[in-house]
Amino acid sequence: MATASKKRYWVGFDLGGTKMLATVFDKDFKALGSRRKKTKDFKGSRAGLVGITKTIDDALQDAGISRKQVAGIGIGCPGALDLERGVVVQSPNLGWRNVALKKSLEKIFSCRVALANDVDAGTYGEYRFGAGQGARCLVGIFPGTGIGGACVYEGKIFRGQRSSCMEIGHMHMQPKGGLCGCGRWGCLETVASRLAISEQAAAAAFRGEAPHLYELAGTDLSSIRSRTLATAIKEGDVVIEAIVQHAAKSLGVATASLVNLLAPEVVVLGGGLVEAMPQIYLEQVRKAIHEQAMKPFRTSVRVAVAKLGDNAGVLGAAALVADESHDRR
Amino acid sequence: MATASKKRYWVGFDLGGTKMLATVFDKDFKALGSRRKKTKDFKGSRAGLVGITKTIDDALQDAGISRKQVAGIGIGCPGALDLERGVVVQSPNLGWRNVALKKSLEKIFSCRVALANDVDAGTYGEYRFGAGQGARCLVGIFPGTGIGGACVYEGKIFRGQRSSCMEIGHMHMQPKGGLCGCGRWGCLETVASRLAISEQAAAAAFRGEAPHLYELAGTDLSSIRSRTLATAIKEGDVVIEAIVQHAAKSLGVATASLVNLLAPEVVVLGGGLVEAMPQIYLEQVRKAIHEQAMKPFRTSVRVAVAKLGDNAGVLGAAALVADESHDRR
């Protein structure tokens, strides 16, 4: 089986709304080469596919590996996916609809391709190689523009009846809460996402209560990134810290409910807000779990910050396609 | 293996705060005999063990089966359990603490004994033989005195890091909510359990707004059972219906969050309140899922009323011990 033995490298791909990242791994998941591009340079699904192909080819070149040596490509992708057919049904972040990503890439690269939700891939990466290694039940919570969630249970991503799920950002939190991006009201994202924080932060800047943030970003929601918030806090914007603390507390209350439901061994916190302000998130989530979760669950759960940063997604996606290959061999 | 082949009957046992029920099943889970006793007739764990033994022996006699023919006993039990050691760590409903139930019964009956949480056992019963047969992901929700929950995922009870979990009654629902039996504030049980309904119903009766309920139960919480509420509604207590509808709606909102998290194929509703007023619960839960759950999940989930009533627990417990025996054979 000369061909089979040659094909022993895995590609992990993270298809984000802002950037795409491809990394080539050997069989022990050591990174051999990598490439990053801006997603917005490839508009629409046809150009997107070209961009993905080029990014992978560049990463392969960086690693000194040929297409023929690739055993499989795992892709983490945001939005509504048909996992079994490998189709991006709808991804508002990418502006895609009904794109047969798996089939197209299998044709181009002549290898197995696995599609996964981006948060599932990142959480699986943390489970396999990061902050939650070997946990029997791990919950990943990633507050950023939205709030992603995932669960790895007994070594596999929890998929309900057969889809990506764990939509933690859409747990109902506020009976009289604001409008959510999902069209409903009072979801966790309306109180704890970066967008929810930015709304309040921009208003505080507008009212003259956050001079540092105002200098850094004005009152434009689009300019207020997680690092902007962290910097404003460091420079002395007390009100911005209060806003982030308040949001982190709500995230903690939702996490405590999740702990009561799923009794996880580890909760891994990641995403832009946590990376920028890990202490605030660790403290508020631990405090909320201590106050709100039931005793047997709260004493046995560990709360940790994600370890792998941007690499969680590519590592997880590569490991997923490798697992799939081994399962079906 | 004459002995092994003789041992082909299973006993399911439901150890409730009010009643205990033992049923003897053949290998196809056909009920052959049954016995019910009042739990309060056996106070404390020593007397409780005598009560359990007597109830099982009576059920065996009813079935015409001897102790020697029993392959295993499955016991569903409320409270905090150590599933691996088979110990009832603490059960407020029974007033027990650190009772090695599995070991004691294995000694008495010389067969395998499996301990399970009562809600897990009932949900597993509905999965194997009732309203959720064959579902890849099933959520059971049982509003009664408290609110129990469980999830069967890929054929097994979801157990987080290794315990009974899915404490749906302790999802945090009301930022300014009332005191819960678990010692925290604003849990789902404080707005949607039978006790929460009874508090409001008794107050309405006290205010003279619910004459039928007043006649049936006065203003005593202990006298207001699920059937009492159903009867008062039937006789025309409009305010009692509004209270139950309101509670069912809150249960629906929590269920919608669960649907967003777990993407189940089926939600099975059971327990005293649902058995007494199935239409109210079906309608409110379906409505809340329609309004609050995300589209791909709400369109693929089915909401059903439990089919097995009191038999769910004994059937589930018997099937669990049978599965365990087959796994380890």
Side-chain angles (χ1 to χ4, degrees), chain B residues 246-327:
Chain B
H246 190 72
K249 190 174 170 179
S250 293
L251 189 83
V253 171
T255 306
S257 285
L258 263 181
V259 167
N260 284 339
L261 290 171
L262 306 178
E265 208 169 320
V266 192
V267 172
V268 175
L269 301 174
L273 285 165
V274 177
E275 279 173 32
M277 296 163 282
Q279 268 327 104
I280 292 179
Y281 278 87
L282 260 186
E283 274 167 30
Q284 288 288 0
V285 171
R286 282 181 177 152
K287 187 159 173 265
I289 289 176
H290 182 76
E291 285 169 6
Q292 301 279 351
M294 301 178 81
K295 204 179 167 195
F297 306 144
R298 78 172 177 251
T299 50
S300 60
V301 69
R302 182 163 64 82
V303 181
V305 166
K307 274 188 185 165
L308 306 173
D310 276 1
N311 293 319
V314 287
L315 270 164
L320 279 170
V321 72
D323 290 356
E324 220 179 71
S325 307
H326 296 137
D327 282 357

Side-chain angles (χ1 to χ4, degrees), chain A residues 80 136-137 151 153-154 156-168 170-175 182 184-185 253 257-265 291-298 300-301, chain B residues 80 136-137 151 153-154 156-168 170-175 182 184-185 253 257-265 291-298 300-301:
Chain A
R136 202 176 121 89
C137 182
C151 174
Y153 179 60
E154 295 190 329
K156 289 190 171 171
I157 293 165
F158 185 93
R159 283 193 167 145
Q161 83 176 272
R162 226 175 262 277
S163 57
S164 176
C165 48
M166 289 293 158
E167 290 285 356
I168 290 166
H170 302 284
M171 288 176 77
H172 191 77
M173 296 299 288
Q174 291 284 354
C182 72
R184 285 171 301 282
W185 304 78
V253 171
S257 285
L258 264 179
V259 167
N260 283 339
L261 289 171
L262 305 178
E265 209 169 320
E291 286 169 6
Q292 301 280 350
M294 301 177 81
K295 203 179 168 196
F297 306 145
R298 77 172 179 250
S300 60
V301 70
Chain B
R136 202 177 121 87
C137 181
C151 173
Y153 178 60
E154 294 190 329
K156 288 189 172 171
I157 294 165
F158 184 93
R159 283 192 168 149
Q161 82 175 272
R162 228 174 261 278
S163 58
S164 177
C165 46
M166 290 291 158
E167 290 286 355
I168 290 166
H170 303 285
M171 289 175 78
H172 191 77
M173 296 299 288
Q174 293 283 355
C182 71
R184 286 172 300 282
W185 304 77
V253 171
S257 285
L258 263 181
V259 167
N260 284 339
L261 290 171
L262 306 178
E265 208 169 320
E291 285 169 6
Q292 301 279 351
M294 301 178 81
K295 204 179 167 195
F297 306 144
R298 78 172 177 251
S300 60
V301 69

Side-chain angles (χ1 to χ4, degrees), chain A residues 262-324:
Chain A
L262 305 178
E265 209 169 320
V266 191
V267 172
V268 175
L269 300 174
L273 285 165
V274 177
E275 279 173 31
M277 296 163 283
Q279 268 327 105
I280 292 179
Y281 279 87
L282 261 186
E283 275 167 30
Q284 288 289 0
V285 171
R286 282 181 179 155
K287 189 162 172 263
I289 288 176
H290 182 75
E291 286 169 6
Q292 301 280 350
M294 301 177 81
K295 203 179 168 196
F297 306 145
R298 77 172 179 250
T299 50
S300 60
V301 70
R302 182 164 64 83
V303 181
V305 166
K307 274 187 184 165
L308 305 172
D310 276 1
N311 293 318
V314 288
L315 270 164
L320 279 170
V321 72
D323 290 356
E324 220 178 73

